[in-house]
Amino acid sequence: MTPIFIAGPCVIESAELLDAVANELVRLKEKLGITVYFKASFDKANRTSIHSFRGPGLEKGAAMLADVKEKYGLPVLTDIHESWQAEPLRGVVDVLQIPAFLCRQTDLLVAAAQTGAIVNIKKAQFLSGEDMQFPVEKCREAGAKEVWLTERGNSFGYNNLVVDFRNIPLMKPYADRVVMDCTHSVQRPGAAGGKTGGDRQFVPAMALAAKAFGADGYFFETHPDPDHALSDGPNMLPLGQMEAVLESLLA
């Protein structure tokens, strides 16, 4: 199966940021001959602190994502946190993503499936790969035509994640694709004084390890200046490093 790549900023900060990232992703798509999905969140409802930046909200965010899709010809992925958010995104986004903490929420999964979009379910930090057959089953029984599963690590004590790469082949019987989230898997949740920390230097190695275990896709949150990103900066891949990482996965 030809791998896909999901990439973009953690959250919609501005139209200028979306343009900068989309321009580079289109360049890489054309140079490397790859399939790229543009990812950005309209609302980060699960930030550590109530004071953290969340995004522009559903109505404005959906319009900005639709603009990216029209201007750059990239399929678009975004996440939802509540079931009512699915229907307004019907026809706007190509993939609806279910956050890891919410991957067992039946109403959320059913609502996403009923839009006709691809549903990408992130594996919870507290579940095994085998456990993910049941969220997939909920989506399929609700009418989903295509369901992906994304590995993003498991909680390891406090403020830390580890990745059991065996989950990639273990989840393949249930999903149409198994994707490796190479950036969220290097998070240190809540470990940066009211926000999430991370170790972005390990992102390229996470990607190569996932390749060895047979991943069908790779997820990267990326930003031109991660140190000044408004969400998830410590684990985001600098946009200027994307090309080298993608080339290593295609080699």
Side-chain angles (χ1 to χ4, degrees), residues 72-152:
Y72 299 100
L74 294 171
V76 174
L77 176 151
T78 198
D79 44 353
I80 57 174
H81 293 81
E82 300 185 57
S83 55
W84 65 266
Q85 295 173 333
E87 188 58 31
L89 293 167
R90 182 192 292 267
V92 177
V93 301
D94 301 274
V95 185
L96 281 174
Q97 182 167 280
I98 308 300
F101 286 132
L102 301 176
C103 74
R104 291 177 53 160
Q105 297 298 106
T106 302
D107 291 346
L108 186 63
L109 293 162
V110 169
Q114 289 177 341
T115 66
I118 298 167
V119 182
N120 181 37
I121 312 171
K122 287 198 165 183
K123 182 183 72 61
Q125 299 90 328
F126 47 84
L127 294 179
S128 70
E130 291 97 329
D131 292 330
M132 294 307 295
Q133 63 183 297
F134 302 107
V136 173
E137 184 180 275
K138 292 177 182 180
C139 288
R140 296 209 191 279
E141 293 198 11
K145 300 295 189 294
E146 189 168 344
V147 184
W148 303 344
L149 289 174
T150 294
E151 169 61 45
R152 50 99 72 244

Side-chain angles (χ1 to χ4, degrees), residues 7 19 36 50 58 74 78 91 95 97 102 129 138 143 159 162 183-184 186 188 202 208 229 238 243 249:
D19 284 335
V36 179
I50 196 169
L58 176 57
L74 294 171
T78 198
V95 185
Q97 182 167 280
L102 301 176
K138 292 177 182 180
N159 307 124
V162 296
T183 48
H184 286 95
V186 301
R188 292 189 177 273
F202 297 119
L208 287 172
E243 183 170 354
L249 293 170

Side-chain angles (χ1 to χ4, degrees), residues 50 52 242:
I50 196 169
S52 297
M242 279 289 296

